Structures are given as C-alpha cells and as structure tokens.
Coordinates of all heavy atoms in Angstrom, one line a residue:
M1 N 99.8 138.1 134.8 CA 100.7 137.0 134.4 C 100.7 136.9 132.8 O 99.8 137.2 132.1 CB 100.1 135.6 134.9 CG 101.0 134.4 134.4 SD 100.3 132.9 134.9 CE 101.5 132.6 136.2
T2 N 102.0 136.7 132.3 CA 102.2 136.7 130.9 C 102.1 135.2 130.4 O 102.7 134.4 131.1 CB 103.5 137.3 130.5 OG1 103.6 138.7 131.0 CG2 103.8 137.2 129.0
N3 N 101.4 135.0 129.4 CA 101.3 133.6 128.8 C 102.6 133.5 127.9 O 103.0 134.4 127.2 CB 100.1 133.5 128.0 CG 98.9 133.4 128.8 OD1 98.9 133.0 129.9 ND2 97.8 134.0 128.3
I4 N 103.1 132.3 127.9 CA 104.3 131.9 127.0 C 103.7 131.3 125.6 O 102.9 130.4 125.8 CB 105.2 131.1 127.7 CG1 105.8 131.8 128.9 CG2 106.3 130.6 126.7 CD1 106.7 130.9 129.8
H5 N 104.2 131.8 124.6 CA 103.6 131.2 123.2 C 104.8 130.8 122.5 O 105.9 131.3 122.6 CB 102.9 132.4 122.4 CG 101.8 133.0 123.2 ND1 100.6 132.5 123.5 CD2 101.8 134.3 123.8 CE1 99.9 133.3 124.1 NE2 100.6 134.4 124.4
N6 N 104.5 129.8 121.7 CA 105.6 129.3 120.8 C 105.7 130.2 119.7 O 104.8 130.4 118.8 CB 105.2 127.9 120.2 CG 106.3 127.4 119.3 OD1 107.3 127.9 119.1 ND2 106.0 126.2 118.7
L7 N 106.8 131.0 119.6 CA 107.1 131.9 118.5 C 107.8 131.4 117.3 O 108.0 132.1 116.4 CB 107.8 133.2 119.1 CG 107.1 133.8 120.4 CD1 108.1 134.8 121.0 CD2 105.8 134.3 120.0
D8 N 108.2 130.2 117.4 CA 108.9 129.6 116.3 C 110.2 130.3 115.9 O 110.4 130.5 114.7 CB 107.9 129.4 115.0 CG 108.6 128.4 114.0 OD1 109.2 127.4 114.4 OD2 108.2 128.6 112.9
I9 N 110.9 130.7 116.9 CA 112.2 131.4 116.8 C 113.1 130.8 117.8 O 112.7 130.3 118.8 CB 112.1 132.9 116.8 CG1 111.5 133.4 118.1 CG2 111.3 133.5 115.6 CD1 111.5 134.9 118.3
T10 N 114.5 131.0 117.5 CA 115.4 130.5 118.5 C 115.5 131.6 119.6 O 115.1 132.7 119.6 CB 116.8 130.4 117.8 OG1 117.3 131.6 117.4 CG2 116.7 129.4 116.6
D11 N 116.2 131.1 120.7 CA 116.5 132.1 121.9 C 117.3 133.2 121.4 O 117.1 134.3 121.8 CB 117.2 131.3 122.9 CG 116.3 130.3 123.7 OD1 115.0 130.3 123.5 OD2 116.9 129.4 124.3
T12 N 118.2 133.0 120.5 CA 119.1 134.1 120.0 C 118.3 135.0 119.2 O 118.4 136.3 119.4 CB 120.2 133.5 119.1 OG1 121.0 132.5 119.9 CG2 121.2 134.6 118.7
E13 N 117.4 134.6 118.4 CA 116.5 135.5 117.6 C 115.7 136.3 118.6 O 115.5 137.4 118.4 CB 115.7 134.7 116.6 CG 116.5 134.1 115.4 CD 115.7 133.1 114.6 OE1 114.9 132.4 115.2 OE2 116.0 133.1 113.3
Y14 N 115.1 135.6 119.5 CA 114.3 136.3 120.5 C 115.0 137.4 121.2 O 114.5 138.5 121.4 CB 113.7 135.3 121.5 CG 112.7 135.8 122.5 CD1 111.5 136.2 122.2 CD2 113.1 136.0 123.8 CE1 110.6 136.7 123.1 CE2 112.2 136.5 124.8 CZ 111.1 136.9 124.4 OH 110.2 137.4 125.4
A15 N 116.2 137.1 121.7 CA 117.0 138.1 122.4 C 117.3 139.3 121.5 O 117.2 140.4 122.0 CB 118.3 137.4 122.8
Q16 N 117.6 139.1 120.3 CA 117.8 140.1 119.3 C 116.6 141.1 119.1 O 116.6 142.2 119.1 CB 118.3 139.7 117.9 CG 119.7 139.1 118.0 CD 120.1 138.4 116.7 OE1 119.2 138.0 115.9 NE2 121.3 138.2 116.5
L17 N 115.4 140.4 119.1 CA 114.2 141.1 119.0 C 113.9 141.9 120.2 O 113.3 143.1 120.2 CB 112.9 140.1 118.6 CG 113.0 139.6 117.2 CD1 111.9 138.5 117.1 CD2 112.8 140.7 116.2
L18 N 114.2 141.4 121.4 CA 114.0 142.1 122.6 C 114.7 143.4 122.7 O 114.3 144.5 123.1 CB 114.3 141.3 123.9 CG 113.3 140.1 124.1 CD1 113.7 139.4 125.4 CD2 111.8 140.8 124.4
I19 N 115.9 143.4 122.1 CA 116.8 144.6 122.0 C 116.1 145.7 121.3 O 116.2 146.9 121.5 CB 118.1 144.4 121.5 CG1 118.9 143.4 122.5 CG2 118.9 145.6 121.1 CD1 120.2 142.8 121.9
L20 N 115.2 145.3 120.3 CA 114.6 146.2 119.5 C 113.1 146.6 120.1 O 112.3 147.1 119.3 CB 114.3 145.7 118.1 CG 115.7 145.4 117.4 CD1 115.3 144.6 116.1 CD2 116.4 146.6 117.1
D21 N 112.9 146.3 121.3 CA 111.6 146.6 121.9 C 110.4 145.8 121.4 O 109.3 146.2 121.3 CB 111.2 148.1 121.9 CG 112.2 149.0 122.8 OD1 112.5 148.5 123.8 OD2 112.5 150.1 122.4
Y22 N 110.8 144.6 121.0 CA 109.8 143.7 120.5 C 108.9 143.1 121.6 O 109.4 142.8 122.6 CB 110.6 142.5 119.8 CG 109.7 141.3 119.5 CD1 108.8 141.3 118.4 CD2 109.9 140.2 120.3 CE1 108.1 140.1 118.2 CE2 109.2 139.0 120.0 CZ 108.3 139.0 118.9 OH 107.6 137.9 118.8
D23 N 107.6 143.0 121.4 CA 106.7 142.5 122.3 C 106.0 141.3 121.9 O 105.2 141.4 121.0 CB 105.6 143.5 122.7 CG 104.7 143.1 123.8 OD1 104.7 141.9 124.3 OD2 103.8 144.0 124.2
P24 N 106.5 140.1 122.3 CA 105.8 138.8 121.9 C 104.3 138.7 122.1 O 103.6 138.1 121.3 CB 106.6 137.7 122.5 CG 107.2 138.3 123.7 CD 107.4 139.8 123.4
N25 N 103.9 139.4 123.2 CA 102.4 139.3 123.4 C 101.7 140.1 122.4 O 100.6 139.7 122.0 CB 102.1 139.8 124.8 CG 102.6 138.8 125.9 OD1 102.5 137.7 125.7 ND2 103.3 139.4 126.8
L26 N 102.2 141.3 122.0 CA 101.5 142.0 120.8 C 101.6 141.2 119.6 O 100.6 141.2 118.9 CB 102.4 143.3 120.7 CG 101.7 144.3 119.7 CD1 100.3 144.6 120.0 CD2 102.7 145.5 119.6
E27 N 102.6 140.5 119.2 CA 102.7 139.7 118.1 C 101.5 138.6 118.2 O 100.8 138.3 117.2 CB 104.0 138.9 118.0 CG 104.1 138.0 116.7 CD 105.3 137.3 116.6 OE1 106.4 137.7 117.0 OE2 105.3 136.2 116.0
H28 N 101.4 138.0 119.3 CA 100.3 137.0 119.5 C 99.0 137.6 119.3 O 98.2 137.0 118.7 CB 100.5 136.3 120.9 CG 99.5 135.2 121.0 ND1 99.7 134.0 120.3 CD2 98.5 135.1 121.8 CE1 98.7 133.1 120.7 NE2 97.8 133.8 121.5
Q29 N 98.8 138.8 119.7 CA 97.5 139.4 119.6 C 97.2 139.7 118.1 O 96.1 139.6 117.7 CB 97.5 140.8 120.4 CG 97.4 140.5 121.9 CD 97.7 141.8 122.7 OE1 97.9 142.9 122.2 NE2 97.2 141.7 124.0
F30 N 98.2 140.1 117.3 CA 98.0 140.3 115.9 C 97.7 139.0 115.3 O 96.8 139.0 114.4 CB 99.3 140.9 115.3 CG 99.5 142.4 115.5 CD1 100.7 142.9 116.1 CD2 98.4 143.3 115.2 CE1 100.9 144.2 116.2 CE2 98.7 144.7 115.4 CZ 99.8 145.2 116.0
I31 N 98.3 137.9 115.7 CA 97.9 136.6 115.0 C 96.5 136.2 115.4 O 95.8 135.7 114.6 CB 98.9 135.6 115.7 CG1 100.3 135.8 115.0 CG2 98.4 134.1 115.3 CD1 101.4 134.9 115.6
E32 N 96.1 136.6 116.7 CA 94.7 136.2 117.1 C 93.7 137.1 116.2 O 92.5 136.7 116.0 CB 94.5 136.5 118.5 CG 95.2 135.4 119.5 CD 94.9 135.7 120.9 OE1 94.6 136.9 121.3 OE2 95.1 134.8 121.7
L33 N 94.2 138.2 115.8 CA 93.3 139.1 114.9 C 93.3 138.6 113.5 O 92.6 139.3 112.7 CB 93.7 140.5 115.1 CG 93.5 141.2 116.4 CD1 94.1 142.6 116.5 CD2 92.0 141.3 116.7
G34 N 94.1 137.6 113.2 CA 94.0 137.1 111.8 C 95.2 137.3 111.0 O 95.3 137.0 109.8
E35 N 96.2 138.1 111.4 CA 97.5 138.3 110.7 C 98.3 137.1 110.6 O 98.3 136.2 111.5 CB 98.3 139.4 111.3 CG 97.6 140.8 111.4 CD 97.4 141.4 110.0 OE1 98.1 141.0 109.0 OE2 96.6 142.3 109.9
S36 N 99.0 136.9 109.5 CA 100.0 135.8 109.5 C 101.1 136.0 110.5 O 101.4 137.2 110.9 CB 100.5 135.8 108.0 OG 101.4 136.9 107.9
A37 N 101.8 135.0 110.8 CA 102.9 135.0 111.8 C 104.0 136.1 111.4 O 104.5 136.9 112.2 CB 103.5 133.7 112.0
A38 N 104.3 136.0 110.0 CA 105.3 137.0 109.6 C 104.8 138.4 109.6 O 105.6 139.3 110.1 CB 105.7 136.6 108.1
E39 N 103.6 138.6 109.2 CA 103.1 140.1 109.3 C 103.0 140.5 110.7 O 103.2 141.7 111.1 CB 101.7 140.1 108.6 CG 101.2 141.5 108.4 CD 102.1 142.3 107.4 OE1 102.8 141.8 106.7 OE2 101.9 143.6 107.5
A40 N 102.4 139.6 111.6 CA 102.3 139.9 113.0 C 103.7 140.3 113.6 O 103.8 141.4 114.4 CB 101.8 138.8 113.8
R41 N 104.8 139.6 113.3 CA 106.1 139.9 113.8 C 106.5 141.3 113.3 O 107.1 142.1 114.1 CB 107.0 138.8 113.4 CG 108.5 139.1 114.0 CD 109.4 138.0 114.1 NE 108.8 137.0 115.0 CZ 108.8 135.6 114.8 NH1 109.3 135.2 113.7 NH2 108.2 134.9 115.6
K42 N 106.3 141.5 112.1 CA 106.7 142.8 111.4 C 105.9 143.9 112.2 O 106.5 144.9 112.5 CB 106.3 142.8 109.9 CG 106.5 144.1 109.3 CD 106.1 144.0 107.7 CE 105.8 145.3 107.2 NZ 105.5 145.2 105.8
L43 N 104.7 143.8 112.4 CA 103.9 144.9 113.0 C 104.3 145.1 114.4 O 104.4 146.2 114.9 CB 102.4 144.5 112.9 CG 101.7 144.5 111.6 CD1 100.3 143.9 111.6 CD2 101.7 146.0 111.0
A44 N 104.6 144.0 115.2 CA 105.1 144.1 116.5 C 106.5 144.9 116.6 O 106.7 145.7 117.5 CB 105.2 142.7 117.2
R45 N 107.3 144.6 115.6 CA 108.5 145.3 115.6 C 108.4 146.8 115.2 O 109.0 147.6 115.8 CB 109.5 144.7 114.5 CG 110.0 143.4 115.0 CD 111.0 142.7 114.0 NE 112.2 143.5 114.0 CZ 113.0 143.5 113.0 NH1 112.9 142.7 111.9 NH2 114.1 144.2 113.0
V46 N 107.4 147.1 114.3 CA 107.2 148.5 114.0 C 106.7 149.2 115.2 O 107.2 150.3 115.5 CB 106.2 148.6 112.8 CG1 105.7 150.0 112.6 CG2 106.9 148.1 111.5
V47 N 105.8 148.7 115.9 CA 105.3 149.2 117.2 C 106.4 149.5 118.0 O 106.5 150.5 118.7 CB 104.1 148.4 117.8 CG1 103.7 149.0 119.1 CG2 102.9 148.4 116.8
G48 N 107.3 148.5 118.3 CA 108.4 148.5 119.2 C 109.3 149.7 118.8 O 109.8 150.4 119.7
L49 N 109.5 149.9 117.5 CA 110.4 151.0 117.1 C 109.8 152.4 117.3 O 110.6 153.4 117.3 CB 110.7 150.8 115.7 CG 111.7 149.6 115.3 CD1 111.8 149.3 113.8 CD2 113.0 149.8 116.0
T50 N 108.5 152.5 117.3 CA 107.8 153.8 117.3 C 107.0 154.0 118.5 O 106.4 155.1 118.6 CB 106.9 153.9 116.0 OG1 105.9 152.9 116.1 CG2 107.7 153.9 114.8
K51 N 107.0 153.2 119.6 CA 106.0 153.3 120.7 C 106.5 154.5 121.6 O 105.6 155.1 122.1 CB 105.9 152.1 121.5 CG 107.2 151.7 122.3 CD 107.0 150.5 123.1 CE 108.2 150.2 123.9 NZ 108.1 149.1 124.8
D52 N 107.8 154.8 121.7 CA 108.1 155.9 122.6 C 108.3 157.2 121.8 O 108.0 158.3 122.4 CB 109.5 155.6 123.2 CG 109.4 154.4 124.2 OD1 108.3 154.3 124.8 OD2 110.3 153.7 124.4
K53 N 108.7 157.2 120.5 CA 108.8 158.3 119.7 C 109.1 158.0 118.3 O 109.5 156.8 118.0 CB 110.0 159.2 120.2 CG 111.4 158.6 120.2 CD 112.5 159.5 120.7 CE 113.8 158.8 120.8 NZ 114.4 158.4 119.5
A54 N 108.9 158.9 117.4 CA 109.1 158.6 116.0 C 110.6 158.6 115.8 O 111.4 159.2 116.5 CB 108.5 159.7 115.2
P55 N 111.0 157.8 114.8 CA 112.5 157.7 114.5 C 113.0 159.2 114.1 O 112.3 159.9 113.5 CB 112.5 156.8 113.3 CG 111.3 156.1 113.2 CD 110.2 156.9 113.9
Q56 N 114.1 159.5 114.7 CA 114.6 160.9 114.6 C 115.9 161.0 113.8 O 116.2 161.9 113.1 CB 114.7 161.6 115.9 CG 113.4 161.7 116.5 CD 113.5 162.4 117.9 OE1 114.4 162.7 118.5 NE2 112.3 162.6 118.5
T57 N 116.8 160.0 114.0 CA 118.1 160.1 113.3 C 118.0 159.3 112.1 O 117.1 158.5 111.8 CB 119.3 159.5 114.3 OG1 118.9 158.1 114.4 CG2 119.3 160.1 115.6
E58 N 118.9 159.5 111.2 CA 119.1 158.7 110.0 C 119.1 157.3 110.2 O 118.5 156.5 109.5 CB 120.2 159.2 109.1 CG 120.4 158.5 107.7 CD 119.2 159.0 106.9 OE1 118.7 160.2 106.9 OE2 118.8 158.3 105.9
E59 N 119.9 156.9 111.2 CA 120.0 155.4 111.5 C 118.7 154.8 112.0 O 118.3 153.7 111.6 CB 121.1 155.3 112.7 CG 121.4 153.8 113.0 CD 122.4 153.7 114.1 OE1 123.6 153.9 113.7 OE2 122.1 153.6 115.3
E60 N 118.0 155.6 112.9 CA 116.7 155.2 113.3 C 115.7 155.0 112.1 O 114.9 154.1 112.0 CB 116.1 156.2 114.3 CG 116.8 156.0 115.6 CD 116.4 157.1 116.6 OE1 115.8 158.1 116.2 OE2 116.6 157.0 117.8
W61 N 115.7 155.9 111.2 CA 114.9 155.9 110.0 C 115.2 154.7 109.1 O 114.3 153.9 108.6 CB 114.9 157.1 109.2 CG 113.9 158.2 109.7 CD1 114.1 159.3 110.4 CD2 112.5 158.1 109.7 NE1 113.0 159.9 110.7 CE2 112.0 159.2 110.3 CE3 111.6 157.2 109.2 CZ2 110.6 159.5 110.5 CZ3 110.3 157.4 109.2 CH2 109.8 158.5 109.9
E62 N 116.5 154.4 109.0 CA 116.9 153.3 108.2 C 116.5 152.0 108.7 O 116.0 151.1 108.1 CB 118.4 153.3 108.0 CG 118.9 154.5 107.1 CD 120.5 154.5 107.0 OE1 121.1 153.6 107.6 OE2 121.0 155.4 106.3
E63 N 116.5 151.9 110.0 CA 116.1 150.6 110.8 C 114.6 150.5 110.7 O 114.1 149.4 110.3 CB 116.5 150.8 112.3 CG 116.1 149.5 113.0 CD 116.5 149.6 114.5 OE1 117.0 150.7 115.0 OE2 116.3 148.6 115.2
F64 N 113.8 151.6 110.8 CA 112.4 151.6 110.6 C 112.0 151.1 109.2 O 111.2 150.2 109.0 CB 111.8 153.0 110.9 CG 110.4 152.9 110.6 CD1 109.4 152.5 111.6 CD2 109.9 153.5 109.4 CE1 108.0 152.6 111.4 CE2 108.5 153.6 109.3 CZ 107.6 153.1 110.1
M65 N 112.7 151.7 108.2 CA 112.3 151.4 106.8 C 112.8 149.9 106.5 O 112.1 149.3 105.7 CB 113.0 152.4 105.8 CG 112.5 153.8 105.9 SD 110.7 153.9 105.8 CE 110.5 153.4 104.1
A66 N 113.9 149.4 107.1 CA 114.3 148.0 106.9 C 113.2 147.1 107.3 O 112.8 146.2 106.7 CB 115.5 147.7 107.6
V67 N 112.6 147.4 108.6 CA 111.5 146.6 109.2 C 110.2 146.7 108.3 O 109.6 145.7 108.0 CB 111.3 146.9 110.6 CG1 110.1 146.2 111.2 CG2 112.5 146.6 111.5
W68 N 109.9 148.0 107.9 CA 108.7 148.3 107.2 C 108.7 147.6 105.8 O 107.7 147.1 105.3 CB 108.5 149.7 107.1 CG 107.2 150.1 106.5 CD1 107.0 150.5 105.3 CD2 105.9 150.1 107.2 NE1 105.6 150.7 105.1 CE2 105.0 150.5 106.3 CE3 105.5 149.7 108.4 CZ2 103.6 150.6 106.6 CZ3 104.1 149.8 108.8 CH2 103.2 150.3 107.8
G69 N 109.9 147.6 105.2 CA 110.0 147.1 103.8 C 110.0 145.5 103.8 O 109.9 145.0 102.7
D70 N 110.3 144.8 104.9 CA 110.4 143.4 104.9 C 109.0 142.8 104.4 O 108.0 142.8 104.7 CB 110.6 142.9 106.3 CG 112.1 142.9 106.6 OD1 112.9 143.2 105.7 OD2 112.5 142.8 107.7

C-alpha cells in the first residue's frame, strides 16, 4: 500500500511531474533522510529521468541539465 503525503503542490503540478517519471514516495524518502523539500523533489526528478537509461538525445540532455541546474 502506498502512503499519501502532502507534497505542497497543486494537482496540475503533480500531473506534470508524473509525466516525467516523478516518484512522490522517493521524494518523501529523501526528506526522511534529511534533504530539504526542494532538494528532495530535484533528486526524485533526476532519478525519474535516468532510472531506465541515461539521456541520449540533445532534448533529453537539456531536460536533465535543466532539472540538475535548478
């Protein structure tokens, strides 16, 4: 069973993150490990972007670098 956590984002923001393979449970785990909410979200997005394969196209690299640079 998945626990529901208050992520302090709107439904629209959440839907956009899901498209990017964002995992809210992973974000919550980073927070439990002591990361700030902003850093935890960034790390969860980076994992989502790279969990299946490394970025290969220029567009994928640009998206990765945009998330990494935030």
Side-chain angles (χ1 to χ4, degrees):
M1 174 182 257
T2 301
N3 292 325
I4 297 174
H5 306 285
N6 180 5
L7 302 174
D8 196 29
I9 57 177
T10 66
D11 290 345
T12 303
E13 291 170 324
Y14 181 73
Q16 290 172 339
L17 289 172
L18 286 179
I19 293 169
L20 301 174
D21 291 323
Y22 163 79
D23 182 353
N25 291 315
L26 183 59
E27 178 182 333
H28 186 70
Q29 290 173 347
F30 282 128
I31 291 170
E32 287 180 340
L33 292 172
E35 296 293 342
S36 68
E39 189 68 16
R41 181 160 300 140
K42 174 183 163 181
L43 291 169
R45 288 185 63 201
V46 167
V47 170
L49 290 170
T50 59
K51 72 178 182 179
D52 294 328
K53 61 180 173 67
Q56 296 179 357
T57 66
E58 185 67 29
E59 183 179 277
E60 290 173 341
W61 275 108
E62 287 175 5
E63 182 179 6
F64 175 82
M65 292 307 294
V67 170
W68 187 256
D70 281 345

